[in-house]
Amino acid sequence: MRARKSIAVYCALAALVLCGGALGVVGGTTDTGHPYVVAAFGPHELCSGALVSSTVVVTAAHCYSGTLDGDTVQITLAPVVHPAGEFVATGPTYPGKIHRLEDHDIAVVVLDTGIQLDHYADLPASTGLVEKLPSNQRVDVVGFGISAIKSGLQTAFGTKHVTSSNLATAGVLSGEFVKVVTGPCQGDSGAPNLLTGTNTVLAITTYSNGNPNCNGDSYSERLDTEAAEAFFRSYR
């Protein structure tokens, strides 16, 4: 069984299951330094992503399990609220079309209208970058998922937070995932795992160990693979 198919065990409902937390954005801080990190949402799902150009958002494919390639997804840079059981952006939204990389948890949203920023996230400059990194490489993880848990209740999601963590020793799994040491939480699937101090997206948050307290390890799909590089080439 391919690794991507095993993700379905963890990711039955994409956004508000314990799948692809933002690697410890619980306990993180409000983010102001990564303008290209966005929320990708529908009425009943909330995920995160990163603009790698004015019209292309990189996110997690499992967030959109109920849609077909070419279906519309909403993107926003604004906080997202959840009144009356549906997710609603508090600022402008930008519709785009979803496209997935087959057998991987990687997708892009191609926007109908571009979002103009001073700079965007960078994709890895070369394949195999993970293998060249030092042990316990630091990563900054930025997402719109749950940022606080009080009395066992998951609260305070929908605003952009950042935290710093590190790749686990021997954290490469089947050449497709990296393991990140800290607690994942809902709504952060697709959150960019940035090499600390850079705008380079090493991986995107994919799934966790299912811990409801958001204090377990998380696994992120690498973007420095040959499959990912070939996929992104079509959207640059």
Side-chain angles (χ1 to χ4, degrees):
M1 180 179 290
R2 291 281 308 235
R4 171 65 184 91
K5 292 181 173 60
S6 68
I7 293 170
V9 174
Y10 300 88
C11 304
L13 294 176
L16 287 183
V17 295
L18 275 173
C19 174
L23 314 174
V25 168
V26 169
T29 58
T30 300
D31 177 72
T32 58
H34 304 91
Y36 47 75
V37 176
V38 301
F41 71 101
H44 304 294
E45 65 268 347
L46 170 66
C47 286
S48 302
L51 280 156
V52 295
S53 74
S54 63
T55 57
V56 177
V57 174
V58 175
T59 185
H62 76 255
C63 293
Y64 315 102
S65 59
T67 63
L68 301 175
D69 274 18
D71 283 354
T72 297
V73 173
Q74 297 293 330
I75 299 296
T76 186
L77 281 68
V80 177
V81 295
H82 194 238
E86 292 192 358
F87 290 104
V88 179
T90 60
T93 60
Y94 302 85
K97 303 298 189 297
I98 187 76
H99 303 277
R100 301 172 181 80
L101 174 57
E102 186 177 359
D103 290 333
H104 294 269
D105 198 25
I106 296 172
V108 295
V109 179
V110 180
L111 301 180
D112 299 343
T113 302
I115 300 175
Q116 301 302 319
L117 301 174
D118 290 337
H119 65 279
Y120 301 92
D122 297 320
L123 294 170
S126 61
T127 59
L129 178 59
V130 166
E131 282 75 17
K132 302 172 186 176
L133 297 175
S135 299
N136 298 316
Q137 169 69 46
R138 298 296 290 178
V139 290
D140 297 324
V141 185
V142 190
F144 279 76
I146 292 167
S147 57
I149 298 178
K150 298 179 180 179
S151 302
L153 298 177
Q154 299 165 345
T155 60
F157 57 85
T159 58
K160 186 164 54 175
H161 279 66
V162 60
T163 193
S164 184
S165 188
N166 62 282
L167 301 185
T169 303
V172 179
L173 305 177
S174 304
E176 190 174 345
F177 299 96
V178 289
K179 181 179 179 181
V180 181
V181 182
T182 190
C185 226
Q186 296 94 326
D188 290 302
S189 293
N193 298 193
L194 302 158
L195 292 178
T196 293
T198 78
N199 297 313
T200 298
V201 186
L202 179 67
I204 55 173
T205 304
T206 298
Y207 69 95
S208 76
N209 63 3
N211 191 319
N213 294 317
C214 298
N215 60 4
D217 294 334
S218 183
Y219 299 87
S220 298
E221 176 111 15
R222 294 171 55 176
L223 301 190
D224 67 330
T225 62
E226 291 184 2
E229 196 279 335
F231 176 66
F232 293 134
R233 196 181 305 142
S234 301
Y235 299 99
R236 286 178 172 171

